[in-house]
């Protein structure tokens, strides 16, 4: 039920992001969702792409420091309180959200949010029990 | 193994008698042949006849890099050019280059010293030596080359640069020993790994590494990445080139100074006072057998410590500790003395950090600021900002704790810092401009 995300280390300087997107473009890789965590001197670009293995390979070959990270893609009801209901069930069980970001596409009537939890397996178990839909990796990459 | 057992194991009192005899001869000679020495001895009110014991050497004036520069290019040579068979020049990182000269006998002496170094590293005539020190004006390449031939090993005159080709030769010729700077050993290890070569599976057994200060941690890293024993060699072109002192493979702790050719002293770099053995200070060398370019009490700017304890290898020469820095490399940051090698030790003590770093010193208003750029590696890259920031803070804290200076740490992309084929230059001091 887990999805895989590519994380890339970037210096905070003009052109750093552009180099990464160029490598992905040249390899024909499509970015499905992204977030950029930034500090004053560096950033971490996090991507959901249609081909994780290939993305990692071409980025590494171009000299980027790359890591694959397990994340969880959850369908969130597109109505007031939708996200809150998910977070509520997790905080009750003491699961911490390290970071999260929204997916570009929708899944039917629902939005999709990518989560990074401190306890990935526990989070998936809780969410499934509560009736939320956790999307498997292959489904996420090809939505 | 010992190359010249007779001289390398002389009992201390016999060695010192030999030193005094040779010292008197060289002093007498330079007084009559080199204008600088006649002038400086006269000014200091000393004469070669005053030398009744080795301690009398302390009364003679120092020779400095500045004296060499003032007498550029040939002013300090003690023999006519017709007797000189070789010239070398230093890289001149801190000003005009200094020129050194060798007679045929000097080349013989130097070759023997380098042969002693190779034998101290456990090499025999069955070994193949990959010599990646630069050939040319720099003394490293030719110095090691002549020594390797003298002791009868097979030498590959690679010189520096062209890293890919070096890796091919390392694979195809199967050298058992390598000579290069420690930073280049790491560059080779890294470049090899990158193109998929198992650098630990090469036939290399030992590295004779020097020409720049390095740390014990860097030694472990090189030994691990290349699966070799890494030994430290010391020398400087002014004194003779590489082969002034060498670590033995048996002791692997401090470099034996070839005292039958050089007299070593340590001094307080600020006052010039001679320090007792065992105390850290600036190394001062007097050459006692060189013909073309003798040097009296030459201040090296290298900071080290003399070790008088006996060594298990059987050599009776005193050892010097690895050079902890150069007194002119020393950074003074808000009044605190810092050597780049100290920062390197701290970085290398942190699991997963690569020894690729750069120090940038700037002045903001009246305050000095130190920024340390460190490359991120796969091992330390975390997907979480707080982990990376925690690493930056940890480095800053360690530097503050151990060295007492505040440093900003910046993680940078891998391979974004310059790689070095010769001596690494890791300090950018923007205060000077």
């Amino acid at each position: 039920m887990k999805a895989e995300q590519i994380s890339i280390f970037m210096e905070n300087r003009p052109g750093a992001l552009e180099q990464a997107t160029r490598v992905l473009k040249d390899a024909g890789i499509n970015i499905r969702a992204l977030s950029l965590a930034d500090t004053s001197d560096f950033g971490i670009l996090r991507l959901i792409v249609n081909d994780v293995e290939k993305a990692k390979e071409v980025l590494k070959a171009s000299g980027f420091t790359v890591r694959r990270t397990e994340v969880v893609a959850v369908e969130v009801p597109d109505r007031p309180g939708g996200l809150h209901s998910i977070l509520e069930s997790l905080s009750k069980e003491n699961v911490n959200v390290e970071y999260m970001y929204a997916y570009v596409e929708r899944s039917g009537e629902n939005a999709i949010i990518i989560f990074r939890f401190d306890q990935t397996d526990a989070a998936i178990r809780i969410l499934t029990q509560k009736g939320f839909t956790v999307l498997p990796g292959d489904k996420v990459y090809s939505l | 193994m010992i190359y010249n057992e007779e001289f390398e194991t002389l009992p201390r009192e016999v060695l010192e008698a030999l030193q005094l005899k040779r010292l008197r001869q060289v002093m007498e000679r330079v007084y009559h042949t080199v204008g600088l020495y006649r002038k400086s001895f006269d000014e200091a009110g000393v004469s070669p006849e005053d030398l009744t014991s080795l301690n009398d050497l302390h009364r003679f004036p120092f020779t400095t890099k500045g004296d060499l520069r003032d007498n550029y290019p040939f002013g300090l040579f003690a023999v006519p050019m017709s007797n000189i068979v070789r010239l070398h020049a230093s890289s001149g990182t801190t000003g005009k280059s200094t020129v050194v000269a060798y007679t045929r006998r000097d080349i013989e002496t130097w070759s023997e010293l380098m042969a002693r170094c190779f034998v101290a590293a456990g090499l025999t005539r069955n070994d193949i030596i990959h010599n990646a020190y630069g050939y040319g004006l720099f003394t490293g390449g030719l110095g090691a080359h002549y020594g390797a031939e003298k002791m009868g090993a097979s030498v590959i005159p690679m010189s520096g640069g062209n890293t890919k080709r070096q890796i091919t030769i390392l694979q195809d010729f199967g050298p058992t020993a390598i000579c290069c700077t420690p930073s280049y050993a790491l560059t080779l290890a890294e470049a090899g790994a990158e193109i998929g070569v198992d650098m630990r599976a090469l036939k290399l057994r030992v590295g004779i590494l020097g020409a720049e200060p390095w740390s014990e941690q860097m030694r472990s890293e090189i030994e691990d990445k290349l699966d070799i024993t890494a030994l430290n060699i010391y020398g400087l072109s002014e004194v003779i080139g590489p082969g002034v002192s060498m670590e033995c493979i048996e002791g692997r702790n401090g470099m034996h100074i070839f005292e039958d050719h050089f007299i070593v002293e340590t001094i307080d770099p600020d006052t010039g006072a001679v320090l007792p053995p065992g105390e850290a200070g600036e190394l001062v060398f007097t050459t006692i057998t060189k013909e073309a370019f003798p040097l009296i009490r030459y201040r090296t700017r290298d900071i080290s410590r003399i070790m008088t304890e006996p060594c298990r290898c059987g050599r009776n020469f005193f050892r010097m500790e690895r050079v902890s820095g150069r007194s002119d490399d020393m950074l003074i940051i808000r009044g605190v003395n810092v050597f780049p090698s100290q920062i390197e030790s701290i970085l290398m003590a942190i699991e997963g950090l690569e020894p690729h770093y750069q120090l940038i010193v700037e002045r903001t208003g009246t305050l000095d600021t130190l920024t340390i750029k460190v490359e991120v590696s796969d091992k330390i890259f975390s997907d979480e900002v707080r982990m990376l920031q925690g690493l930056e803070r940890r480095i800053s804290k360690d530097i503050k704790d151990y060295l007492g200076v505040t440093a900003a740490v910046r993680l940078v992309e891998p391979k974004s810092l310059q790689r070095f084929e010769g001596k690494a230059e890791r300090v950018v001091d923007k205060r000077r401009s």
Side-chain angles (χ1 to χ4, degrees):
Chain A
M1 297 302 273
K2 292 167 197 166
E4 271 196 314
Q5 160 198 281
I6 292 276
S7 307
I8 309 158
F9 178 85
M10 312 222 117
E11 273 173 56
N12 198 347
R13 59 169 170 81
L17 201 50
E18 188 252 335
Q19 275 170 13
T21 52
R22 180 198 306 273
V23 170
L24 294 173
K25 179 200 84 168
D26 290 348
I29 289 163
N30 192 12
I31 301 171
R32 311 309 313 270
L34 88 167
S35 95
L36 182 63
D38 67 303
T39 72
S40 58
D41 59 336
F42 67 84
I44 300 170
L45 177 64
R46 303 180 180 121
L47 303 172
I48 302 287
V49 294
N50 60 343
D51 188 340
V52 184
E53 190 52 51
K54 190 171 171 197
K56 184 175 178 187
E57 199 177 294
V58 293
L59 286 165
K60 263 199 99 70
S62 303
F64 285 96
T65 300
V66 186
R67 195 184 185 100
R68 293 161 72 143
T69 324
E70 287 182 340
V71 290
V72 182
V74 187
E75 283 192 9
V76 182
D78 192 6
R79 55 171 166 74
L83 177 60
H84 177 74
S85 59
I86 290 180
L87 294 176
E88 193 179 32
S89 46
L90 291 165
S91 67
K92 269 188 201 150
E93 304 280 341
N94 252 328
V95 173
N96 189 34
V97 177
E98 302 285 357
Y99 55 80
M100 53 185 259
Y101 54 98
Y103 198 83
V104 185
E105 298 285 328
R106 288 164 65 95
S107 172
E109 284 307 297
N110 293 322
I112 301 166
I113 293 199
I114 310 288
F115 287 92
R116 167 79 178 166
F117 298 112
D118 59 346
Q119 311 157 58
T120 309
D121 294 324
I124 293 173
R125 182 172 43 76
I126 296 160
L127 290 170
T128 326
Q129 276 170 6
K130 295 280 178 186
F132 293 103
T133 306
V134 175
L135 297 171
D138 11 326
K139 192 155 179 221
V140 180
Y141 313 140
S142 57
L143 261 179
Chain B
M1 286 292 290
I2 296 178
Y3 180 78
N4 188 334
E5 186 130 16
E6 184 191 347
F7 281 89
E8 293 182 72
T9 62
L10 282 178
R12 198 76 214 164
E13 60 280 8
V14 180
L15 174 66
E16 288 181 358
L18 176 72
Q19 284 185 318
L20 181 60
K21 184 179 140 218
R22 288 180 166 177
L23 177 64
R24 277 176 168 155
Q25 286 167 352
V26 76
M27 288 294 222
E28 193 68 43
R29 208 155 50 78
V30 297
Y31 185 72
H32 289 104
T33 53
V34 184
L36 169 82
Y37 292 117
R38 171 173 290 256
K39 190 164 162 280
S40 68
F41 290 5
D42 285 350
E43 274 172 14
V46 287
S47 119
E49 284 103 73
D50 297 341
L51 286 162
T52 53
S53 81
L54 286 176
N55 281 335
D56 294 326
L57 178 61
H58 303 335
R59 297 162 50 198
F60 283 74
F62 293 116
T63 310
T64 64
K65 188 99 177 169
D67 294 324
L68 270 50
R69 224 172 290 151
D70 294 344
N71 289 279
Y72 177 86
F74 303 151
L76 296 182
F77 294 177
V79 298
M81 195 55 83
S82 55
N83 290 350
I84 286 171
V85 299
R86 175 98 65 81
L87 295 167
H88 278 287
S90 76
S91 46
T93 38
T94 46
K96 215 175 203 178
S97 67
T98 48
V99 186
V100 297
Y102 302 80
T103 63
R104 195 169 298 285
R105 206 186 83 178
D106 290 337
I107 296 286
E108 269 301 304
T109 304
W110 188 18
S111 307
E112 160 158 356
L113 295 182
M114 276 308 303
R116 289 184 186 180
C117 293
F118 288 128
V119 172
L123 303 185
T124 69
R125 50 189 306 128
N126 295 321
D127 282 288
I128 304 178
I129 300 175
H130 180 105
N131 184 15
Y133 282 124
Y135 282 64
L137 282 177
F138 173 55
T139 47
L142 284 169
H145 183 101
Y146 273 59
E149 286 189 350
K150 173 104 181 160
M151 59 84 72
S154 320
V155 56
I156 309 172
M158 271 315 295
S159 197
N162 206 342
T163 303
K164 285 219 166 103
R165 180 121 198 268
Q166 302 242 8
I167 291 165
T168 307
I169 299 280
L170 285 169
Q171 288 177 283
D172 296 351
F173 292 12
T176 47
I178 183 166
C179 300
C180 60
T181 58
S183 38
Y184 194 55
L186 278 179
T187 301
L188 280 172
E190 199 175 69
E194 209 159 273
I195 54 172
V197 176
D198 182 357
M199 296 298 280
R200 288 178 56 88
L202 297 172
K203 283 192 182 153
L204 281 183
R205 190 173 87 234
V206 60
I208 294 106
L209 314 177
E212 66 186 14
W214 50 311
S215 59
E216 277 306 312
Q217 288 86 347
M218 196 157 164
R219 161 145 57 193
S220 316
E221 174 125 12
I222 293 167
E223 292 190 331
D224 180 52
K225 288 191 166 160
L226 292 173
D227 193 23
I228 60 172
T229 301
L231 298 173
N232 202 354
I233 183 169
Y234 173 82
L236 60 170
S237 62
E238 299 92 314
V239 175
I240 202 159
V244 173
S245 66
M246 173 73 197
E247 207 166 39
C248 58
I249 197 160
E250 296 89 349
R252 253 174 117 258
N253 176 23
M255 295 163 274
H256 291 279
I257 301 161
F258 297 119
E259 292 179 281
D260 50 339
H261 295 276
F262 313 107
I263 294 175
V264 65
E265 302 166 80
T266 29
I267 61 162
D268 178 325
D270 297 325
T271 65
V274 175
L275 300 172
E279 274 187 41
E282 179 181 338
L283 294 177
V284 170
F285 283 100
T286 298
T287 69
I288 51 176
T289 54
K290 259 169 63 179
E291 294 181 330
F293 188 72
L295 271 182
I296 309 301
R297 301 198 84 198
Y298 181 65
R299 293 188 58 162
T300 61
R301 318 304 294 179
D302 288 332
I303 306 291
S304 178
R305 194 177 72 85
I306 302 299
M307 307 157 67
T308 56
E309 303 82 5
C311 179
R312 71 176 80 160
C313 72
R315 284 175 188 79
N316 273 337
F317 296 144
F318 287 162
R319 285 171 286 169
M320 53 182 268
E321 229 169 43
R322 72 167 54 251
V323 171
S324 63
R326 286 178 65 87
S327 57
D328 48 7
D329 264 5
M330 189 176 75
L331 293 166
I332 303 179
I333 295 160
R334 298 192 203 178
V336 182
N337 297 349
V338 178
F339 289 107
S341 56
Q342 294 176 306
I343 291 176
E344 179 179 311
S345 298
I346 290 170
L347 293 177
M348 301 285 291
I350 295 175
E351 175 69 30
L353 277 194
E354 303 275 340
H356 301 300
Y357 63 94
Q358 192 178 42
L359 311 180
I360 297 149
V361 192
E362 289 165 292
R363 183 160 288 157
T364 320
T366 55
L367 279 184
D368 299 332
T369 58
L370 171 63
T371 305
I372 304 174
K373 288 187 176 179
V374 184
E375 283 186 8
V376 161
S377 65
D378 285 345
K379 279 188 210 149
I380 58 166
F381 176 49
S382 157
D383 166 59
E384 285 164 39
V385 171
R386 66 187 164 93
M387 303 284 277
L388 291 179
Q389 287 185 323
L391 178 70
E392 289 184 335
R393 272 197 300 274
R394 179 177 165 202
I395 299 170
S396 287
K397 184 177 182 302
D398 283 359
I399 285 170
K400 181 82 190 167
D401 289 351
Y402 290 111
L403 304 179
V405 294
T406 305
V409 175
R410 280 193 55 185
L411 294 174
V412 298
E413 286 163 13
K415 314 258 184 319
S416 63
L417 298 178
Q418 202 190 335
R419 295 294 187 269
F420 302 97
E421 291 181 342
K423 299 188 187 202
E425 285 165 32
R426 305 195 195 273
V427 180
V428 181
D429 196 338
K430 295 183 176 168
R431 295 175 300 184
R432 285 175 195 151
S433 49

